[in-house]
């Protein structure tokens, strides 16, 4: 897998991975690591949630 060049590319890869994990319906815990200096996690989490809510998964807060 190619490393993302910016935060939005990393978010797209994260969304792809999360959707793939949900579709496999595995049990257990998942983790994701995004390393960007000075990263504020709340905007990233909200964008991910919004994309998941609009997907076939239908995430709820």
């Amino acid at each position: 897998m190619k490393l993302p060049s910016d935060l939005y590319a990393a978010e797209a890869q994260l969304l792809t991975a999360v959707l793939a994990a949900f579709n496999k319906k595995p049990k257990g815990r998942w983790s994701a690591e995004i390393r960007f200096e000075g990263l504020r996690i709340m905007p990233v989490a909200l964008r991910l949630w919004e994309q998941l809510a609009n997907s076939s998964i239908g995430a709820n807060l």
Side-chain angles (χ1 to χ4, degrees):
M1 177 184 292
K2 183 179 174 188
L3 290 177
S5 60
D6 62 14
L7 180 58
Y8 293 109
E11 288 180 23
Q13 285 185 3
L14 177 59
L15 177 64
T16 301
V18 168
L19 289 173
F22 274 121
N23 287 330
K24 288 185 180 181
K25 299 181 183 177
K27 295 181 181 179
R29 297 180 182 202
W30 305 322
S31 66
E33 188 171 322
I34 302 176
R35 291 185 183 189
F36 284 90
E37 189 172 324
L39 178 65
R40 295 175 55 199
I41 196 65
M42 185 60 89
V44 174
L46 290 175
R47 284 192 296 269
L48 178 63
W49 170 79
E50 183 177 13
Q51 292 174 350
L52 288 173
N54 293 328
S55 72
S56 61
I57 308 262
N60 295 317
L61 264 181

